[in-house]
Amino acid sequence: MKLQAKRLFIEFEYEYLDGSSASFRYMEPTTELIDGGIDIRDADVKEKMEYAKKALRSCLSGNENDIEKMIAELTTHANIYKFKVTLDEALGKLKAEGSNG
């Protein structure tokens, strides 16, 4: 058996409010991100919410300008936390199917 460090990911397209769109990958969190989440379990709510945004940003892959534009739009015009949950659920379904990893 041959093993390697490989992160599961989903690919998705995001449509901006201006009608343009961009493609991204959302990768499963690394051990460092998971450990960081455990480290702040006793933190206040604001710190936990900031960590969730940091984790989302760390798991996104794509054009940096597009990522920043999407995060800014989600922050001001939507619920970035719900968006992250949607991506996590899609990643979980992929993992359950045994695909891509």
Side-chain angles (χ1 to χ4, degrees):
M1 173 176 17
K2 184 176 183 177
L3 300 173
Q4 65 185 44
K6 185 176 179 181
R7 292 168 73 181
L8 186 67
F9 64 89
I10 57 168
E11 294 181 322
F12 69 97
E13 188 168 330
Y14 180 82
E15 184 175 342
Y16 298 99
L17 294 174
D18 66 9
S20 65
S21 62
S23 297
F24 302 95
R25 275 189 178 182
Y26 181 69
M27 299 174 286
E28 68 182 335
T30 63
T31 303
E32 287 178 334
L33 284 172
I34 294 167
D35 290 350
I38 291 169
D39 289 344
I40 66 158
R41 69 176 171 244
D42 294 328
D44 64 19
V45 173
K46 184 176 181 179
E47 193 175 349
K48 288 178 184 179
M49 301 306 261
E50 287 301 318
Y51 189 81
K53 288 189 280 188
K54 175 187 172 189
L56 170 65
R57 177 65 186 87
S58 296
C59 292
L60 288 170
S61 175
N63 177 283
E64 291 300 316
N65 291 331
D66 291 338
I67 291 171
E68 294 308 319
K69 181 180 175 182
M70 178 178 62
I71 289 174
E73 187 172 285
L74 288 166
T75 301
T76 58
H77 297 289
N79 181 337
I80 196 166
Y81 308 109
K82 184 176 179 182
F83 183 77
K84 183 180 181 312
V85 168
T86 299
L87 292 174
D88 288 337
E89 288 173 349
L91 195 59
K93 287 179 186 174
L94 184 67
K95 194 173 194 173
E97 294 170 1
S99 303
N100 178 356

